[in-house]
Amino acid sequence: MKRSITRLLMAPSVIMLLVWMIIPLSMTIYFSTIRYNLLYPGQNNFVGWMNFEFFITDPGFIPAVSNTLILLLSVLIITVVLGVMLSALIDKPFFGQGIVRVLLISPFFIMPTVNALIWKNMMMNPVYGIFAWISQSLGLEPIDWLSSYPLMSVIIMVSWQWLPFAILVFVTALQSQDTEQKEAAQMDGATGWHIFRYLTIPHLARPIAVVIMIETIFLLAVFAEIFVSTGGGPGYDSTNLAYLIYNQALLQYDVGVASAGGLFAVILANIVAFFLIRAVGKNLTV
């Protein structure tokens, strides 16, 4: 009786969640199988796999997939490695610890569009940016980062914004670490590196897997930084899958091909997340 009442009370939430997920996914699948170009209204005939073929054979497809994976792996490595190191440093009590933690975490609360504008205009501008000023102070020629190194520029922007998220998760996890175990290891002559390698890293195994899983979901859909700073260029040098789908939908008005690209991105995200989580979990729990 109690189980039936519980299921009855949960039913509206479960139904709402299913509707929330199934309707957009069903519409995307439907649009991916018909010819739906906004420039040719009324010509919505069934085309089967043709939209997927158009998307895969697009000149920007291979660069977009490559840039998406490079961006994902680069940001994951930067945020996880620096996040673990900085978290271990600020976990120890020192003067001004609270202020340092707030400063480290604050970039995560900046909107992606604002993040891109800050780096584009204040940091990487070849005329009045801070990097240009540093180069000129050292007698070097300023670098036009967004034109010469567009993908690296996007990686720096995204890493700067997601590093605080990793730090926040790792610092929270370190606060639950057993201090008696660390003290016992110190009494046995373990160095700081040994404690970090054999106690801290295994303790952070699950938080690292969580950070990788969450960041993977969002990093595969990075768009604002590319749209505001590089526009996907020069050429396809900084185009990722999200920007290529936007290009198909809102610049070429081909909703069918864009929907096929969206389904491809969903499949790629699940494959990448599955293998990353398995690899990280296996290596850290041994």
CSV table of all heavy atoms in Angstrom, one decimal, residues 130-193:
chain,number,residue,atom,x,y,z
A,130,ILE,N,47.0,43.3,-21.9
A,130,ILE,CA,48.0,43.1,-20.9
A,130,ILE,C,49.2,42.3,-21.4
A,130,ILE,O,50.3,42.5,-21.2
A,130,ILE,CB,47.4,42.5,-19.6
A,130,ILE,CG1,46.5,43.4,-18.9
A,130,ILE,CG2,48.5,42.0,-18.6
A,130,ILE,CD1,45.8,42.9,-17.7
A,131,PHE,N,48.8,41.2,-22.2
A,131,PHE,CA,49.9,40.4,-22.8
A,131,PHE,C,50.8,41.2,-23.8
A,131,PHE,O,52.0,41.0,-23.8
A,131,PHE,CB,49.3,39.2,-23.5
A,131,PHE,CG,48.7,38.2,-22.6
A,131,PHE,CD1,47.9,37.2,-23.2
A,131,PHE,CD2,48.9,38.2,-21.3
A,131,PHE,CE1,47.3,36.2,-22.3
A,131,PHE,CE2,48.4,37.2,-20.4
A,131,PHE,CZ,47.6,36.2,-21.0
A,132,ALA,N,50.1,42.1,-24.5
A,132,ALA,CA,50.9,43.0,-25.5
A,132,ALA,C,51.8,43.9,-24.7
A,132,ALA,O,52.9,44.2,-25.0
A,132,ALA,CB,49.9,43.8,-26.3
A,133,TRP,N,51.3,44.4,-23.5
A,133,TRP,CA,52.1,45.3,-22.7
A,133,TRP,C,53.3,44.6,-22.1
A,133,TRP,O,54.4,45.1,-22.1
A,133,TRP,CB,51.2,45.9,-21.6
A,133,TRP,CG,52.0,46.8,-20.6
A,133,TRP,CD1,52.4,48.1,-20.8
A,133,TRP,CD2,52.5,46.4,-19.3
A,133,TRP,NE1,53.1,48.5,-19.7
A,133,TRP,CE2,53.1,47.5,-18.8
A,133,TRP,CE3,52.4,45.2,-18.6
A,133,TRP,CZ2,53.7,47.5,-17.5
A,133,TRP,CZ3,53.0,45.2,-17.4
A,133,TRP,CH2,53.7,46.3,-16.8
A,134,ILE,N,53.1,43.4,-21.7
A,134,ILE,CA,54.2,42.6,-21.1
A,134,ILE,C,55.2,42.3,-22.2
A,134,ILE,O,56.5,42.4,-22.0
A,134,ILE,CB,53.7,41.2,-20.5
A,134,ILE,CG1,52.8,41.5,-19.3
A,134,ILE,CG2,54.8,40.3,-20.2
A,134,ILE,CD1,52.1,40.3,-18.8
A,135,SER,N,54.8,42.0,-23.4
A,135,SER,CA,55.7,41.7,-24.5
A,135,SER,C,56.5,42.9,-24.9
A,135,SER,O,57.8,42.9,-25.0
A,135,SER,CB,54.9,41.2,-25.8
A,135,SER,OG,54.3,40.0,-25.5
A,136,GLN,N,55.9,44.1,-24.9
A,136,GLN,CA,56.6,45.3,-25.3
A,136,GLN,C,57.5,45.7,-24.1
A,136,GLN,O,58.6,46.3,-24.4
A,136,GLN,CB,55.5,46.5,-25.5
A,136,GLN,CG,54.8,46.3,-26.8
A,136,GLN,CD,53.6,47.3,-26.9
A,136,GLN,OE1,53.2,47.9,-26.0
A,136,GLN,NE2,53.1,47.4,-28.1
A,137,SER,N,57.2,45.5,-22.9
A,137,SER,CA,58.0,45.8,-21.8
A,137,SER,C,59.3,44.9,-21.8
A,137,SER,O,60.4,45.4,-21.4
A,137,SER,CB,57.3,45.5,-20.4
A,137,SER,OG,56.2,46.3,-20.3
A,138,LEU,N,59.2,43.7,-22.4
A,138,LEU,CA,60.4,42.9,-22.5
A,138,LEU,C,61.1,43.1,-23.9
A,138,LEU,O,62.0,42.3,-24.2
A,138,LEU,CB,60.0,41.4,-22.4
A,138,LEU,CG,59.3,41.0,-21.0
A,138,LEU,CD1,58.8,39.6,-21.1
A,138,LEU,CD2,60.4,41.2,-19.9
A,139,GLY,N,60.6,44.0,-24.6
A,139,GLY,CA,61.3,44.3,-25.9
A,139,GLY,C,60.9,43.3,-27.0
A,139,GLY,O,61.6,43.2,-28.0
A,140,LEU,N,59.8,42.6,-26.8
A,140,LEU,CA,59.3,41.6,-27.8
A,140,LEU,C,58.1,42.2,-28.6
A,140,LEU,O,57.5,43.1,-28.2
A,140,LEU,CB,58.9,40.3,-27.1
A,140,LEU,CG,59.9,39.7,-26.2
A,140,LEU,CD1,59.3,38.5,-25.4
A,140,LEU,CD2,61.1,39.2,-27.0
A,141,GLU,N,57.9,41.5,-29.7
A,141,GLU,CA,56.8,41.9,-30.6
A,141,GLU,C,55.5,41.3,-30.0
A,141,GLU,O,55.4,40.2,-29.7
A,141,GLU,CB,57.0,41.3,-32.0
A,141,GLU,CG,56.1,41.9,-33.1
A,141,GLU,CD,56.3,43.4,-33.4
A,141,GLU,OE1,57.5,43.8,-33.1
A,141,GLU,OE2,55.4,44.0,-33.9
A,142,PRO,N,54.4,42.2,-29.9
A,142,PRO,CA,53.1,41.7,-29.3
A,142,PRO,C,52.6,40.6,-30.2
A,142,PRO,O,52.7,40.6,-31.5
A,142,PRO,CB,52.3,42.9,-29.3
A,142,PRO,CG,53.2,44.1,-29.3
A,142,PRO,CD,54.4,43.6,-30.1
A,143,ILE,N,51.9,39.6,-29.6
A,143,ILE,CA,51.3,38.5,-30.4
A,143,ILE,C,49.8,38.8,-30.5
A,143,ILE,O,49.1,39.1,-29.5
A,143,ILE,CB,51.5,37.2,-29.6
A,143,ILE,CG1,53.0,36.9,-29.5
A,143,ILE,CG2,50.8,36.0,-30.3
A,143,ILE,CD1,53.3,35.7,-28.6
A,144,ASP,N,49.3,38.6,-31.7
A,144,ASP,CA,47.8,38.6,-32.0
A,144,ASP,C,47.3,37.2,-31.7
A,144,ASP,O,47.2,36.4,-32.6
A,144,ASP,CB,47.5,39.0,-33.4
A,144,ASP,CG,46.1,39.3,-33.6
A,144,ASP,OD1,45.3,39.0,-32.7
A,144,ASP,OD2,45.7,39.8,-34.7
A,145,TRP,N,47.0,37.0,-30.4
A,145,TRP,CA,46.6,35.6,-30.0
A,145,TRP,C,45.4,35.1,-30.7
A,145,TRP,O,45.5,33.9,-31.1
A,145,TRP,CB,46.3,35.7,-28.5
A,145,TRP,CG,47.5,35.8,-27.6
A,145,TRP,CD1,48.1,37.0,-27.3
A,145,TRP,CD2,48.3,34.8,-27.0
A,145,TRP,NE1,49.2,36.7,-26.5
A,145,TRP,CE2,49.4,35.4,-26.3
A,145,TRP,CE3,48.2,33.4,-27.0
A,145,TRP,CZ2,50.3,34.6,-25.6
A,145,TRP,CZ3,49.1,32.6,-26.3
A,145,TRP,CH2,50.2,33.2,-25.7
A,146,LEU,N,44.4,35.8,-30.9
A,146,LEU,CA,43.2,35.3,-31.5
A,146,LEU,C,43.3,35.0,-33.0
A,146,LEU,O,42.6,34.1,-33.5
A,146,LEU,CB,42.0,36.3,-31.3
A,146,LEU,CG,41.7,36.6,-29.9
A,146,LEU,CD1,40.6,37.7,-29.8
A,146,LEU,CD2,41.3,35.4,-29.1
A,147,SER,N,44.3,35.6,-33.7
A,147,SER,CA,44.5,35.3,-35.1
A,147,SER,C,45.6,34.2,-35.2
A,147,SER,O,45.5,33.3,-36.1
A,147,SER,CB,44.9,36.5,-35.8
A,147,SER,OG,43.9,37.5,-35.8
A,148,SER,N,46.7,34.3,-34.4
A,148,SER,CA,47.8,33.4,-34.6
A,148,SER,C,47.6,32.1,-33.8
A,148,SER,O,48.0,31.0,-34.3
A,148,SER,CB,49.1,34.0,-34.0
A,148,SER,OG,49.3,35.3,-34.7
A,149,TYR,N,47.0,32.1,-32.7
A,149,TYR,CA,46.7,30.9,-31.9
A,149,TYR,C,45.3,30.9,-31.4
A,149,TYR,O,45.0,31.0,-30.2
A,149,TYR,CB,47.7,30.8,-30.7
A,149,TYR,CG,49.1,31.0,-31.0
A,149,TYR,CD1,49.8,32.2,-30.8
A,149,TYR,CD2,49.8,30.0,-31.6
A,149,TYR,CE1,51.1,32.4,-31.2
A,149,TYR,CE2,51.2,30.1,-31.9
A,149,TYR,CZ,51.8,31.3,-31.7
A,149,TYR,OH,53.1,31.5,-32.1
A,150,PRO,N,44.3,30.7,-32.3
A,150,PRO,CA,42.9,30.9,-31.9
A,150,PRO,C,42.4,29.8,-31.0
A,150,PRO,O,41.7,30.1,-30.0
A,150,PRO,CB,42.2,30.8,-33.3
A,150,PRO,CG,43.1,30.2,-34.2
A,150,PRO,CD,44.5,30.5,-33.8
A,151,LEU,N,42.8,28.5,-31.3
A,151,LEU,CA,42.3,27.4,-30.4
A,151,LEU,C,43.0,27.5,-29.1
A,151,LEU,O,42.3,27.2,-28.0
A,151,LEU,CB,42.6,26.1,-31.1
A,151,LEU,CG,42.0,24.8,-30.4
A,151,LEU,CD1,40.5,25.0,-30.3
A,151,LEU,CD2,42.4,23.6,-31.1
A,152,MET,N,44.3,27.8,-29.0
A,152,MET,CA,44.9,27.9,-27.7
A,152,MET,C,44.3,29.1,-26.9
A,152,MET,O,44.2,28.9,-25.7
A,152,MET,CB,46.4,28.2,-27.9
A,152,MET,CG,47.2,28.2,-26.6
A,152,MET,SD,48.9,28.7,-26.9
A,152,MET,CE,49.5,27.4,-27.8
A,153,SER,N,43.9,30.1,-27.6
A,153,SER,CA,43.3,31.2,-26.9
A,153,SER,C,42.0,30.8,-26.2
A,153,SER,O,41.7,31.2,-25.1
A,153,SER,CB,43.0,32.4,-27.8
A,153,SER,OG,44.2,32.8,-28.5
A,154,VAL,N,41.2,30.0,-27.0
A,154,VAL,CA,39.9,29.5,-26.4
A,154,VAL,C,40.2,28.6,-25.3
A,154,VAL,O,39.5,28.6,-24.3
A,154,VAL,CB,39.1,28.8,-27.6
A,154,VAL,CG1,37.8,28.2,-27.0
A,154,VAL,CG2,38.7,29.8,-28.6
A,155,ILE,N,41.2,27.7,-25.4
A,155,ILE,CA,41.5,26.8,-24.3
A,155,ILE,C,41.9,27.6,-23.0
A,155,ILE,O,41.5,27.2,-21.9
A,155,ILE,CB,42.7,25.9,-24.8
A,155,ILE,CG1,42.2,24.9,-25.8
A,155,ILE,CG2,43.3,25.1,-23.6
A,155,ILE,CD1,43.3,24.1,-26.5
A,156,ILE,N,42.7,28.7,-23.2
A,156,ILE,CA,43.1,29.5,-22.0
A,156,ILE,C,41.8,30.1,-21.4
A,156,ILE,O,41.7,30.1,-20.1
A,156,ILE,CB,44.1,30.6,-22.4
A,156,ILE,CG1,45.4,29.9,-22.9
A,156,ILE,CG2,44.3,31.6,-21.3
A,156,ILE,CD1,46.4,30.9,-23.5
A,157,MET,N,40.9,30.6,-22.2
A,157,MET,CA,39.7,31.3,-21.7
A,157,MET,C,38.9,30.3,-20.9
A,157,MET,O,38.4,30.5,-19.8
A,157,MET,CB,38.9,31.8,-22.8
A,157,MET,CG,39.5,32.9,-23.6
A,157,MET,SD,38.4,33.4,-25.0
A,157,MET,CE,39.5,34.4,-26.0
A,158,VAL,N,38.6,29.1,-21.5
A,158,VAL,CA,37.7,28.1,-20.9
A,158,VAL,C,38.4,27.5,-19.7
A,158,VAL,O,37.7,27.3,-18.6
A,158,VAL,CB,37.4,27.0,-21.9
A,158,VAL,CG1,36.5,26.0,-21.3
A,158,VAL,CG2,36.7,27.6,-23.1
A,159,SER,N,39.7,27.3,-19.7
A,159,SER,CA,40.4,26.7,-18.5
A,159,SER,C,40.3,27.7,-17.4
A,159,SER,O,40.1,27.3,-16.2
A,159,SER,CB,41.9,26.5,-18.9
A,159,SER,OG,42.0,25.5,-19.9
A,160,TRP,N,40.5,29.0,-17.7
A,160,TRP,CA,40.4,30.0,-16.6
A,160,TRP,C,39.1,30.0,-15.9
A,160,TRP,O,39.0,30.2,-14.7
A,160,TRP,CB,40.7,31.4,-17.2
A,160,TRP,CG,40.7,32.5,-16.2
A,160,TRP,CD1,41.7,32.8,-15.3
A,160,TRP,CD2,39.7,33.5,-16.0
A,160,TRP,NE1,41.3,33.9,-14.6
A,160,TRP,CE2,40.1,34.3,-15.0
A,160,TRP,CE3,38.4,33.7,-16.6
A,160,TRP,CZ2,39.3,35.4,-14.6
A,160,TRP,CZ3,37.7,34.8,-16.2
A,160,TRP,CH2,38.1,35.6,-15.2
A,161,GLN,N,38.0,29.7,-16.7
A,161,GLN,CA,36.7,29.7,-16.0
A,161,GLN,C,36.4,28.4,-15.3
A,161,GLN,O,35.7,28.5,-14.3
A,161,GLN,CB,35.6,30.0,-17.1
A,161,GLN,CG,34.2,30.1,-16.5
A,161,GLN,CD,33.3,30.8,-17.5
A,161,GLN,OE1,33.4,30.6,-18.7
A,161,GLN,NE2,32.4,31.6,-17.0
A,162,TRP,N,36.9,27.3,-15.8
A,162,TRP,CA,36.5,26.0,-15.2
A,162,TRP,C,37.5,25.6,-14.1
A,162,TRP,O,37.2,24.7,-13.3
A,162,TRP,CB,36.4,24.9,-16.3
A,162,TRP,CG,35.1,25.0,-17.0
A,162,TRP,CD1,34.8,25.6,-18.1
A,162,TRP,CD2,33.9,24.4,-16.5
A,162,TRP,NE1,33.5,25.5,-18.4
A,162,TRP,CE2,32.9,24.8,-17.5
A,162,TRP,CE3,33.5,23.7,-15.4
A,162,TRP,CZ2,31.5,24.4,-17.3
A,162,TRP,CZ3,32.2,23.3,-15.2
A,162,TRP,CH2,31.2,23.6,-16.2
A,163,LEU,N,38.7,26.2,-14.0
A,163,LEU,CA,39.6,25.8,-13.0
A,163,LEU,C,39.0,26.0,-11.6
A,163,LEU,O,39.2,25.2,-10.7
A,163,LEU,CB,40.9,26.6,-13.1
A,163,LEU,CG,42.0,26.3,-12.1
A,163,LEU,CD1,42.4,24.9,-12.0
A,163,LEU,CD2,43.2,27.2,-12.3
A,164,PRO,N,38.3,27.1,-11.3
A,164,PRO,CA,37.7,27.3,-10.0
A,164,PRO,C,36.7,26.2,-9.6
A,164,PRO,O,36.6,25.9,-8.4
A,164,PRO,CB,37.0,28.7,-10.1
A,164,PRO,CG,37.8,29.4,-11.2
A,164,PRO,CD,38.2,28.3,-12.2
A,165,PHE,N,36.0,25.7,-10.6
A,165,PHE,CA,35.0,24.6,-10.3
A,165,PHE,C,35.8,23.4,-9.8
A,165,PHE,O,35.4,22.8,-8.8
A,165,PHE,CB,34.2,24.3,-11.6
A,165,PHE,CG,33.4,23.0,-11.4
A,165,PHE,CD1,32.3,23.0,-10.7
A,165,PHE,CD2,33.8,21.8,-12.0
A,165,PHE,CE1,31.5,21.9,-10.5
A,165,PHE,CE2,33.1,20.7,-11.9
A,165,PHE,CZ,31.9,20.7,-11.2
A,166,ALA,N,36.9,23.0,-10.4
A,166,ALA,CA,37.7,21.9,-10.0
A,166,ALA,C,38.2,22.2,-8.6
A,166,ALA,O,38.2,21.3,-7.7
A,166,ALA,CB,38.8,21.6,-11.0
A,167,ILE,N,38.7,23.4,-8.3
A,167,ILE,CA,39.3,23.7,-7.0
A,167,ILE,C,38.2,23.6,-5.9
A,167,ILE,O,38.4,23.1,-4.9
A,167,ILE,CB,39.9,25.1,-7.1
A,167,ILE,CG1,41.1,25.2,-8.0
A,167,ILE,CG2,40.3,25.6,-5.7
A,167,ILE,CD1,41.7,26.5,-8.1
A,168,LEU,N,37.0,24.1,-6.3
A,168,LEU,CA,35.9,24.1,-5.3
A,168,LEU,C,35.6,22.6,-4.9
A,168,LEU,O,35.4,22.3,-3.7
A,168,LEU,CB,34.7,24.8,-5.9
A,168,LEU,CG,33.5,24.9,-5.0
A,168,LEU,CD1,33.8,25.8,-3.8
A,168,LEU,CD2,32.3,25.5,-5.8
A,169,VAL,N,35.5,21.7,-5.9
A,169,VAL,CA,35.2,20.3,-5.6
A,169,VAL,C,36.3,19.7,-4.8
A,169,VAL,O,36.1,19.0,-3.8
A,169,VAL,CB,34.9,19.6,-6.9
A,169,VAL,CG1,34.8,18.1,-6.6
A,169,VAL,CG2,33.7,20.1,-7.6
A,170,PHE,N,37.6,19.9,-5.2
A,170,PHE,CA,38.7,19.3,-4.6
A,170,PHE,C,38.9,19.8,-3.1
A,170,PHE,O,39.3,19.0,-2.2
A,170,PHE,CB,40.0,19.5,-5.4
A,170,PHE,CG,39.9,18.8,-6.8
A,170,PHE,CD1,40.7,19.3,-7.8
A,170,PHE,CD2,39.1,17.7,-7.0
A,170,PHE,CE1,40.6,18.8,-9.1
A,170,PHE,CE2,39.0,17.2,-8.3
A,170,PHE,CZ,39.8,17.7,-9.3
A,171,VAL,N,38.8,21.1,-2.9
A,171,VAL,CA,39.0,21.6,-1.6
A,171,VAL,C,37.9,21.0,-0.6
A,171,VAL,O,38.2,20.7,0.5
A,171,VAL,CB,38.9,23.2,-1.6
A,171,VAL,CG1,38.7,23.7,-0.2
A,171,VAL,CG2,40.1,23.7,-2.2
A,172,THR,N,36.7,20.9,-1.1
A,172,THR,CA,35.6,20.4,-0.3
A,172,THR,C,35.9,18.9,0.0
A,172,THR,O,35.7,18.4,1.2
A,172,THR,CB,34.3,20.4,-1.1
A,172,THR,OG1,34.0,21.8,-1.5
A,172,THR,CG2,33.1,19.9,-0.2
A,173,ALA,N,36.5,18.2,-1.0
A,173,ALA,CA,36.8,16.8,-0.7
A,173,ALA,C,38.0,16.6,0.3
A,173,ALA,O,38.0,15.7,1.1
A,173,ALA,CB,37.2,16.1,-2.0
A,174,LEU,N,39.0,17.5,0.2
A,174,LEU,CA,40.1,17.4,1.1
A,174,LEU,C,39.8,17.7,2.5
A,174,LEU,O,40.5,17.2,3.4
A,174,LEU,CB,41.2,18.5,0.6
A,174,LEU,CG,42.0,18.1,-0.7
A,174,LEU,CD1,42.9,19.2,-1.1
A,174,LEU,CD2,42.8,16.8,-0.4
A,175,GLN,N,38.7,18.5,2.7
A,175,GLN,CA,38.3,18.7,4.1
A,175,GLN,C,37.8,17.5,4.8
A,175,GLN,O,37.7,17.5,6.1
A,175,GLN,CB,37.2,19.8,4.1
A,175,GLN,CG,37.8,21.2,3.7
A,175,GLN,CD,36.7,22.3,3.7
A,175,GLN,OE1,35.5,22.0,3.7
A,175,GLN,NE2,37.2,23.5,3.5
A,176,SER,N,37.4,16.5,4.1
A,176,SER,CA,37.0,15.2,4.7
A,176,SER,C,38.1,14.2,4.8
A,176,SER,O,37.8,13.0,5.2
A,176,SER,CB,35.8,14.6,3.8
A,176,SER,OG,36.3,14.3,2.5
A,177,GLN,N,39.3,14.6,4.4
A,177,GLN,CA,40.4,13.6,4.5
A,177,GLN,C,40.8,13.3,5.9
A,177,GLN,O,40.8,14.3,6.8
A,177,GLN,CB,41.6,14.1,3.7
A,177,GLN,CG,42.7,13.1,3.5
A,177,GLN,CD,43.9,13.6,2.7
A,177,GLN,OE1,43.9,14.8,2.3
A,177,GLN,NE2,44.8,12.7,2.3
A,178,ASP,N,41.2,12.1,6.2
A,178,ASP,CA,41.5,11.7,7.6
A,178,ASP,C,42.9,12.3,8.0
A,178,ASP,O,43.9,12.0,7.5
A,178,ASP,CB,41.6,10.2,7.7
A,178,ASP,CG,41.7,9.7,9.1
A,178,ASP,OD1,41.8,10.6,10.0
A,178,ASP,OD2,41.7,8.5,9.3
A,179,THR,N,42.8,13.3,9.0
A,179,THR,CA,44.1,13.9,9.4
A,179,THR,C,45.0,13.0,10.2
A,179,THR,O,46.2,13.1,10.2
A,179,THR,CB,43.8,15.2,10.2
A,179,THR,OG1,42.9,14.8,11.3
A,179,THR,CG2,43.1,16.2,9.3
A,180,GLU,N,44.3,12.1,11.0
A,180,GLU,CA,45.1,11.1,11.8
A,180,GLU,C,46.0,10.2,10.9
A,180,GLU,O,47.1,9.9,11.3
A,180,GLU,CB,44.2,10.3,12.6
A,180,GLU,CG,43.4,11.1,13.7
A,180,GLU,CD,42.5,10.2,14.6
A,180,GLU,OE1,42.5,9.0,14.3
A,180,GLU,OE2,41.9,10.7,15.5
A,181,GLN,N,45.4,9.9,9.7
A,181,GLN,CA,46.2,9.0,8.8
A,181,GLN,C,47.4,9.8,8.3
A,181,GLN,O,48.5,9.2,8.2
A,181,GLN,CB,45.3,8.6,7.6
A,181,GLN,CG,45.8,7.5,6.8
A,181,GLN,CD,44.9,7.2,5.7
A,181,GLN,OE1,44.1,8.0,5.2
A,181,GLN,NE2,44.9,5.9,5.3
A,182,LYS,N,47.3,11.1,8.0
A,182,LYS,CA,48.4,11.9,7.6
A,182,LYS,C,49.4,12.1,8.7
A,182,LYS,O,50.6,12.0,8.4
A,182,LYS,CB,47.9,13.3,7.1
A,182,LYS,CG,47.0,13.2,5.8
A,182,LYS,CD,46.3,14.5,5.5
A,182,LYS,CE,47.3,15.6,5.2
A,182,LYS,NZ,46.6,16.8,4.7
A,183,GLU,N,48.9,12.3,9.9
A,183,GLU,CA,49.9,12.5,11.0
A,183,GLU,C,50.7,11.2,11.3
A,183,GLU,O,51.8,11.2,11.5
A,183,GLU,CB,49.1,12.9,12.3
A,183,GLU,CG,48.5,14.3,12.2
A,183,GLU,CD,47.6,14.6,13.3
A,183,GLU,OE1,47.4,13.7,14.2
A,183,GLU,OE2,47.1,15.7,13.4
A,184,ALA,N,50.0,10.0,11.1
A,184,ALA,CA,50.6,8.7,11.3
A,184,ALA,C,51.7,8.5,10.2
A,184,ALA,O,52.8,8.0,10.5
A,184,ALA,CB,49.6,7.6,11.3
A,185,ALA,N,51.4,8.9,9.0
A,185,ALA,CA,52.4,8.8,7.9
A,185,ALA,C,53.6,9.7,8.2
A,185,ALA,O,54.7,9.3,7.9
A,185,ALA,CB,51.7,9.2,6.6
A,186,GLN,N,53.3,10.9,8.7
A,186,GLN,CA,54.5,11.8,9.0
A,186,GLN,C,55.3,11.3,10.1
A,186,GLN,O,56.6,11.4,10.0
A,186,GLN,CB,53.9,13.2,9.4
A,186,GLN,CG,53.3,14.0,8.2
A,186,GLN,CD,52.6,15.3,8.7
A,186,GLN,OE1,52.3,15.4,9.8
A,186,GLN,NE2,52.5,16.2,7.7
A,187,MET,N,54.7,10.6,11.1
A,187,MET,CA,55.5,10.0,12.2
A,187,MET,C,56.3,8.9,11.7
A,187,MET,O,57.4,8.6,12.2
A,187,MET,CB,54.5,9.6,13.3
A,187,MET,CG,53.8,10.7,14.0
A,187,MET,SD,52.7,10.1,15.3
A,187,MET,CE,53.9,9.3,16.4
A,188,ASP,N,55.8,8.2,10.6
A,188,ASP,CA,56.6,7.1,10.0
A,188,ASP,C,57.7,7.6,9.0
A,188,ASP,O,58.3,6.7,8.4
A,188,ASP,CB,55.7,6.1,9.3
A,188,ASP,CG,54.8,5.3,10.3
A,188,ASP,OD1,55.2,5.3,11.5
A,188,ASP,OD2,53.7,4.9,9.9
A,189,GLY,N,57.8,8.9,8.9
A,189,GLY,CA,58.8,9.4,8.0
A,189,GLY,C,58.4,9.7,6.6
A,189,GLY,O,59.3,10.0,5.8
A,190,ALA,N,57.1,9.7,6.3
A,190,ALA,CA,56.7,10.0,5.0
A,190,ALA,C,56.9,11.5,4.7
A,190,ALA,O,56.6,12.3,5.5
A,190,ALA,CB,55.2,9.6,4.8
A,191,THR,N,57.3,11.8,3.5
A,191,THR,CA,57.5,13.2,3.0
A,191,THR,C,56.2,13.7,2.5
A,191,THR,O,55.2,13.0,2.4
A,191,THR,CB,58.6,13.2,1.9
A,191,THR,OG1,58.1,12.5,0.8
A,191,THR,CG2,59.9,12.6,2.4
A,192,GLY,N,56.2,15.0,2.3
A,192,GLY,CA,55.0,15.7,1.8
A,192,GLY,C,54.6,15.1,0.4
A,192,GLY,O,53.4,14.9,0.1
A,193,TRP,N,55.6,14.8,-0.4
A,193,TRP,CA,55.3,14.2,-1.7
A,193,TRP,C,54.6,12.8,-1.6
A,193,TRP,O,53.7,12.5,-2.3
A,193,TRP,CB,56.5,14.1,-2.6
A,193,TRP,CG,56.3,13.2,-3.8
A,193,TRP,CD1,56.9,12.0,-4.0
A,193,TRP,CD2,55.5,13.5,-4.9
A,193,TRP,NE1,56.5,11.5,-5.2
A,193,TRP,CE2,55.6,12.3,-5.8
A,193,TRP,CE3,54.6,14.5,-5.3
A,193,TRP,CZ2,54.9,12.2,-7.0
A,193,TRP,CZ3,53.9,14.4,-6.5
A,193,TRP,CH2,54.1,13.3,-7.3
